[in-house]
Amino acid sequence: GQRLVANVAPGLRTRGDAALLGQLLVNLIENAIRHTPPGSTVRVEAARREGAVEVVVADDGPGIPAADRERVFRRFVRLEASRSTPGSGLGLSLVLAVAELHGIAVRLGDNRPGLVVSLRLPPPEADATPQRPAAEAARGPVAALAASGGRTGREPLPRSR
């Protein structure tokens, strides 16, 4: 398998939908794991930089060629090198959709070897809107499940009488 290394600075805060932000991170981490060979390292970092929170997901796999980096954000796009791995080509398009919804800048770069994905979350505004710890967003689906009282949204709807 791969090795997952996380380095998250304490006290980071952001605003947004915890479930969506969690899914964004899950998609990036799953993509990194799926597209790197056994023995690879996937690194997740979060730190405050220049007043904003920067999150980085990096791997030492084959990466994405510079010419394809914009194209991989389109729905159902799969690069030739990944056709033999499971997937639908929706992961990065969902990442971009959630990022745009939250005003997050996304950048793909070369990790030499591998891919580095950088997310720049805008600083929380100084108003009365509640802020969520970034660690809560990282729990994603678990936090969303707890907040929903255990309902996943997949249960059948009650029958009307």
Side-chain angles (χ1 to χ4, degrees):
Q2 291 87 342
R3 188 170 75 119
L4 180 62
V5 177
N7 184 14
V8 178
L12 298 176
R13 300 182 73 76
T14 191
R15 278 198 182 76
D17 184 290
L20 290 176
L21 292 172
Q23 191 61 56
L24 179 149
L25 290 172
V26 166
N27 283 5
L28 289 175
I29 294 167
E30 282 182 347
N31 270 0
I33 291 169
R34 182 178 299 124
H35 297 292
T36 56
S40 297
T41 299
V42 175
R43 180 175 45 90
V44 180
E45 296 179 355
R48 181 164 312 284
R49 290 196 178 89
E50 300 172 13
V53 173
E54 184 175 63
V55 177
V56 172
V57 178
D59 64 63
D60 54 8
I64 297 175
D68 291 323
R69 290 188 188 146
E70 190 171 318
R71 190 169 73 89
V72 295
F73 286 112
R74 291 189 221 140
R75 289 183 310 190
F76 306 114
V77 168
R78 300 198 63 210
L79 300 180
E80 197 59 41
S82 67
R83 297 226 183 256
S84 62
T85 60
S88 63
L90 288 173
L92 289 177
S93 67
L94 290 172
V95 165
L96 186 60
V98 171
E100 288 176 346
L101 180 67
H102 288 84
I104 298 171
V106 181
R107 187 175 52 84
L108 301 183
D110 191 349
N111 199 36
R112 295 183 178 96
L115 180 69
V116 60
V117 181
S118 300
L119 307 171
R120 185 166 175 81
L121 289 74
E125 307 296 325
D127 63 16
T129 306
Q131 298 176 9
R132 296 180 181 248
E136 182 179 332
R139 289 194 306 266
V142 174
L145 186 62
S148 69
R151 292 185 52 85
T152 64
R154 294 185 179 137
E155 294 87 354
L157 295 172
R159 293 179 188 226
S160 57
R161 296 182 187 236

